[in-house]
Amino acid sequence: MDEALLEAFHATAYHVCLDTVTWATIRVDLPLPAQLAGAVGSRPWAFITAWNPHARRRPPAENLAAQRELLAALQNQPGVTVHPALGVGTSGWSEPSLFVVGAGIQALDKLARIHGQLAYVHGEADGAALLRVLD
């Protein structure tokens, strides 16, 4: 991954919708906001999407279909909860995303690779948000 793209991942605001009025924002290398730490408890979490694989734009209908597939795969895992989310870059781009609680890193890596993602944000309990770059 080139430096500009890596910098974009680090600069992105990762917004999570907890209910109809409550949103919290994750930043890479910072601890989870209090609202999310409470929702996560001691479980692992991730912020992931199926939009725009390999950081290349594709038609909205294809993105929506892939996102539905990702959501279904996550919902089929026992003990996993999913919240709607939105990644917003500093240049104004945005991607619908998912905040996932309870999925293991191996399952997330597999799903991210299936959907052509170069990286995703993850963490354990209320620790710092980490960027997981996939090769």
Side-chain angles (χ1 to χ4, degrees):
M1 178 180 315
D2 68 33
E3 284 299 314
L5 189 53
L6 190 58
E7 187 176 308
F9 273 108
H10 277 91
T12 296
Y14 299 94
H15 302 293
V16 178
C17 180
L18 291 169
D19 60 42
T20 55
V21 295
T22 307
W23 286 78
T25 302
I26 299 169
R27 295 286 185 169
V28 173
D29 297 329
L30 295 177
L32 280 179
Q35 308 100 312
L36 289 178
V40 166
S42 62
R43 297 172 292 170
W45 59 268
F47 190 104
I48 192 168
T49 189
W51 279 64
N52 300 323
H54 307 289
R56 294 188 186 107
R57 290 184 186 258
R58 71 174 168 187
E62 290 177 30
N63 279 328
L64 285 169
Q67 192 78 344
R68 284 188 192 107
E69 288 174 16
L70 175 59
L71 176 60
L74 290 164
Q75 289 175 327
N76 283 331
Q77 294 185 24
V80 170
T81 58
V82 182
H83 297 272
L86 183 68
V88 179
T90 57
S91 64
W93 64 266
S94 63
E95 289 180 342
S97 302
L98 303 168
F99 182 71
V100 182
V101 180
I105 200 96
Q106 290 179 343
L108 292 164
D109 282 0
K110 181 180 178 181
L111 289 169
R113 285 186 175 105
I114 286 169
H115 291 284
Q117 298 304 302
L118 301 175
Y120 63 91
V121 177
H122 75 104
E124 292 287 330
D126 61 353
L130 304 172
L131 182 65
R132 183 154 176 90
V133 178
L134 303 171
D135 38 64

